[in-house]
Amino acid sequence: MTTTLDRAPRRSTRPARGGFGRLLHAEWTKFRTVRAWVLTTIGSALVICVVGLLATAAVHERGGDAPGALPVGPGGEAVNDSFTFVHQPLTGDGTLTVSVSSLTGEGEGEGEDGGGGGAGPKGGKDGKSALAPWAKAGIMVKDSLEQGSSYASLMVTGAHGVRMQYDFTHDTAGLPGEVSPESPRLLRLKRSGDVITGYQSLDGDHWTEVGTTRLPGLSRTPQVGLFVTSPSVAESTGTGTGFSPAVATGTFDTVSLEGGWSGGPWLTGQVGRDAGTSGSYTRSTGSEAVASGGGYTLTGAGDIAPVVGGPAASGVRTVENFLVGAFAGLIMLVVVATSCVTAEYRRGLIAVTLAAGPGRSRVLVAKALVMGSIAFAAGLASAAVMVPLGGSRSAANGFPVLTVPTATELRVVVGTGLLLATASVLALALGTVLRRSAVAITAVVVGMVLPYLLATAAVLPEGASDWLLKVTPAAGFALQQSVERYDQVVSVYSPATGYHPLAPWEGFAVLCAYTALAFGAAAVLLRRRDV
């Protein structure tokens, strides 16, 4: 007797017809078999590199004012680190307390605060009193006398009251108000291992903490003492905001020490030299420190702060300078992205593509993934080449580069890829909606590239430029910004000097929002209308 067993049919391991993986493969095959698309994509990366190289082709004619390499702070950023310092080593733990009764300024110009908040410099021009809002007089614990070394400081300022600042980028507010003989400020720094705490007082009996910080790796014998410095003052000119060098003089009535002090004499000197935003105003006496009773009167110029972009940092290049060709590469990729869908409409092939897919929206997603990935790779590769190459080329030609933390540099490189990828998906979506390459390309250029060029070329008022970079897809270019805005550093913070009104990821979010709206409209229209 023979028994026949029913066997379940064997499942095929081959992908089902019209599967999403097959859609991706089909779209990739279409792209790589159209020579014009491949060459244009490669050309976009080359254009970004070529334009970047042209932007760094100039050679600095070295002279007495040739810029030198900028100091680098503990966080990897370029910094100013120039001030008059009366100091001695502190072995182990200890406390330094001073009373500051006066802070005055002298400069060459008369103007107003050019950013960073607060009132303008007090005084006038032609060598008269001109106290910069961020002139500083106070006490400091500094790892070494080398520029860029780690530090913590407590100070009075020209217009921002008592502040505790450390490692260049950190700033904490204390008591407001101006300092005077009738209203002095008592300042105290206490070191305990690598922890530094700042205290303030109006009468010497009641103390309040301003802030505390940890300086990892702080030397066992750091230099501790009194300092004075003054950045340049901002002034209004016929063409915008200019900067005039200035000095500051601080009066320290009493100086008291506790703990592991060397017991030796106080040493006086100038740390570093002027750099970046600080300007350099030197009176006939230069920087100086004069002992008077139990205190000192110090005069100095410079700044202790991160270097930012803007006109005060002339002769210094930023990472953005090496990627100035990104908008040209973006336009080329936009042409490719729109053609990926409009060419199928023009040749009547879109119906075949949609018939082979499991759903019209999934076809659009597959196209977007392929085109976005290709554009991302092109942007990432060109930026990864140009950032180090532009830096070395600039240094060889005599232009220092504004150093930024590694994380910022990585964000700029990856951000360039994301910028081109998102713009390409936006162009693909508009091509689907409009069905005409020329119209879709024009829409992207007018909505994204043109606002960026108008804002950064300084052809519009600053308010209009900020508005364009907030509400248009051009906001996405903020991903390429490497320089940061600091409230405690006076500069011209505008699109024309490299500053976007939105933070990098905020600007990218605006571009993504436009892309999502266009992509959603494309998906709806693709499902509802006949092809």
Side-chain angles (χ1 to χ4, degrees), residues 310-311 455-456 458 462 465-466 469 481 485 491-501:
T456 56
E462 184 176 333
S465 297
D466 284 346
L469 294 181
Q481 177 176 300
R485 174 171 182 157
S491 184
V492 179
Y493 294 102
S494 70
T497 57
Y499 288 90
H500 290 254

Short mmCIF file of all heavy atoms in Angstrom, two decimals, residues 310-311 455-456 458 462 465-466 469 481 485 491-501:
data_model
loop_
_atom_site.label_atom_id
_atom_site.label_comp_id
_atom_site.label_asym_id
_atom_site.label_seq_id
_atom_site.Cartn_x
_atom_site.Cartn_y
_atom_site.Cartn_z
N GLY A 310 34.98 87.71 11.71
CA GLY A 310 34.66 89.12 11.60
C GLY A 310 35.86 89.93 11.16
O GLY A 310 36.97 89.41 10.98
N PRO A 311 35.68 91.24 11.00
CA PRO A 311 36.75 92.09 10.47
C PRO A 311 37.97 92.17 11.36
O PRO A 311 39.07 92.42 10.87
CB PRO A 311 36.06 93.45 10.34
CG PRO A 311 34.89 93.39 11.28
CD PRO A 311 34.44 91.97 11.25
N ALA A 455 22.72 86.99 1.34
CA ALA A 455 22.98 87.23 2.76
C ALA A 455 24.47 87.32 3.06
O ALA A 455 24.91 88.18 3.83
CB ALA A 455 22.34 86.14 3.61
N THR A 456 25.26 86.45 2.45
CA THR A 456 26.69 86.41 2.77
C THR A 456 27.50 87.42 1.98
O THR A 456 28.65 87.70 2.33
CB THR A 456 27.25 85.01 2.52
OG1 THR A 456 26.99 84.62 1.16
CG2 THR A 456 26.60 84.00 3.46
N ALA A 458 26.77 90.58 1.67
CA ALA A 458 26.60 91.90 2.29
C ALA A 458 25.96 92.90 1.34
O ALA A 458 26.25 94.10 1.40
CB ALA A 458 27.94 92.43 2.78
N GLU A 462 21.66 94.03 7.39
CA GLU A 462 21.91 92.87 8.24
C GLU A 462 20.62 92.19 8.68
O GLU A 462 20.53 90.96 8.72
CB GLU A 462 22.71 93.30 9.47
CG GLU A 462 23.10 92.14 10.37
CD GLU A 462 23.96 92.58 11.53
OE1 GLU A 462 24.67 93.60 11.39
OE2 GLU A 462 23.92 91.91 12.58
N SER A 465 19.29 90.07 5.86
CA SER A 465 20.14 88.89 5.68
C SER A 465 19.82 87.83 6.74
O SER A 465 19.71 86.64 6.44
CB SER A 465 21.61 89.28 5.75
OG SER A 465 21.96 90.16 4.69
N ASP A 466 19.69 88.28 7.98
CA ASP A 466 19.33 87.34 9.06
C ASP A 466 17.98 86.68 8.77
O ASP A 466 17.80 85.47 8.97
CB ASP A 466 19.27 88.07 10.39
CG ASP A 466 20.65 88.37 10.96
OD1 ASP A 466 21.63 87.79 10.45
OD2 ASP A 466 20.75 89.17 11.89
N LEU A 469 18.17 83.92 6.18
CA LEU A 469 18.83 82.70 6.67
C LEU A 469 18.07 82.05 7.82
O LEU A 469 18.53 81.05 8.37
CB LEU A 469 20.26 83.02 7.10
CG LEU A 469 21.20 83.44 5.96
CD1 LEU A 469 22.59 83.70 6.50
CD2 LEU A 469 21.25 82.37 4.86
N GLN A 481 29.00 76.29 9.40
CA GLN A 481 29.61 77.33 10.23
C GLN A 481 30.48 76.70 11.30
O GLN A 481 30.03 75.88 12.08
CB GLN A 481 28.53 78.20 10.87
CG GLN A 481 29.09 79.26 11.80
CD GLN A 481 28.01 80.17 12.35
OE1 GLN A 481 27.32 80.85 11.60
NE2 GLN A 481 27.87 80.20 13.66
N ARG A 485 29.60 82.25 18.26
CA ARG A 485 29.36 83.57 18.86
C ARG A 485 29.46 83.45 20.37
O ARG A 485 28.87 82.55 20.97
CB ARG A 485 27.98 84.09 18.46
CG ARG A 485 27.63 85.39 19.17
CD ARG A 485 26.37 86.00 18.61
NE ARG A 485 26.08 87.26 19.27
CZ ARG A 485 25.34 88.22 18.75
NH1 ARG A 485 24.80 88.05 17.55
NH2 ARG A 485 25.13 89.34 19.40
N SER A 491 32.49 91.54 18.50
CA SER A 491 32.83 91.41 17.08
C SER A 491 31.60 91.82 16.28
O SER A 491 30.60 92.28 16.84
CB SER A 491 33.22 89.96 16.75
OG SER A 491 33.64 89.86 15.40
N VAL A 492 31.69 91.69 14.96
CA VAL A 492 30.54 91.94 14.09
C VAL A 492 29.96 90.58 13.75
O VAL A 492 30.49 89.86 12.90
CB VAL A 492 30.96 92.70 12.81
CG1 VAL A 492 29.75 92.92 11.91
CG2 VAL A 492 31.59 94.03 13.18
N TYR A 493 28.87 90.24 14.39
CA TYR A 493 28.25 88.94 14.19
C TYR A 493 27.15 89.08 13.13
O TYR A 493 26.01 89.44 13.45
CB TYR A 493 27.66 88.42 15.49
CG TYR A 493 28.70 88.11 16.56
CD1 TYR A 493 28.94 88.99 17.61
CD2 TYR A 493 29.46 86.95 16.50
CE1 TYR A 493 29.88 88.71 18.59
CE2 TYR A 493 30.40 86.66 17.48
CZ TYR A 493 30.61 87.54 18.52
OH TYR A 493 31.55 87.25 19.48
N SER A 494 27.48 88.83 11.88
CA SER A 494 26.51 88.97 10.79
C SER A 494 26.82 87.92 9.73
O SER A 494 27.93 87.37 9.68
CB SER A 494 26.60 90.37 10.18
OG SER A 494 27.81 90.53 9.45
N PRO A 495 25.85 87.62 8.84
CA PRO A 495 26.10 86.66 7.77
C PRO A 495 27.29 87.03 6.90
O PRO A 495 28.01 86.16 6.41
CB PRO A 495 24.79 86.68 6.97
CG PRO A 495 23.75 87.07 7.97
CD PRO A 495 24.43 88.05 8.87
N ALA A 496 27.52 88.33 6.72
CA ALA A 496 28.64 88.76 5.87
C ALA A 496 29.99 88.41 6.48
O ALA A 496 30.99 88.32 5.76
CB ALA A 496 28.56 90.26 5.63
N THR A 497 30.05 88.21 7.80
CA THR A 497 31.29 87.84 8.46
C THR A 497 31.31 86.38 8.89
O THR A 497 32.13 85.97 9.70
CB THR A 497 31.54 88.74 9.69
OG1 THR A 497 30.43 88.63 10.59
CG2 THR A 497 31.71 90.19 9.27
N GLY A 498 30.36 85.58 8.35
CA GLY A 498 30.40 84.15 8.57
C GLY A 498 29.48 83.62 9.65
O GLY A 498 29.54 82.43 9.97
N TYR A 499 28.64 84.49 10.23
CA TYR A 499 27.76 84.05 11.32
C TYR A 499 26.33 83.91 10.85
O TYR A 499 25.74 84.85 10.33
CB TYR A 499 27.83 85.04 12.49
CG TYR A 499 29.12 84.97 13.24
CD1 TYR A 499 30.19 85.77 12.87
CD2 TYR A 499 29.29 84.08 14.29
CE1 TYR A 499 31.39 85.70 13.55
CE2 TYR A 499 30.48 84.00 14.98
CZ TYR A 499 31.54 84.81 14.59
OH TYR A 499 32.73 84.73 15.26
N HIS A 500 25.76 82.74 11.04
CA HIS A 500 24.35 82.51 10.72
C HIS A 500 23.50 82.83 11.94
O HIS A 500 23.93 82.62 13.08
CB HIS A 500 24.14 81.05 10.29
CG HIS A 500 24.74 80.73 8.96
ND1 HIS A 500 23.99 80.55 7.83
CD2 HIS A 500 26.03 80.58 8.58
CE1 HIS A 500 24.78 80.30 6.80
NE2 HIS A 500 26.03 80.30 7.23
N PRO A 501 22.28 83.33 11.73
CA PRO A 501 21.43 83.68 12.87
C PRO A 501 20.92 82.47 13.64
O PRO A 501 20.49 82.60 14.78
CB PRO A 501 20.28 84.46 12.22
CG PRO A 501 20.23 83.95 10.81
CD PRO A 501 21.65 83.67 10.44
#
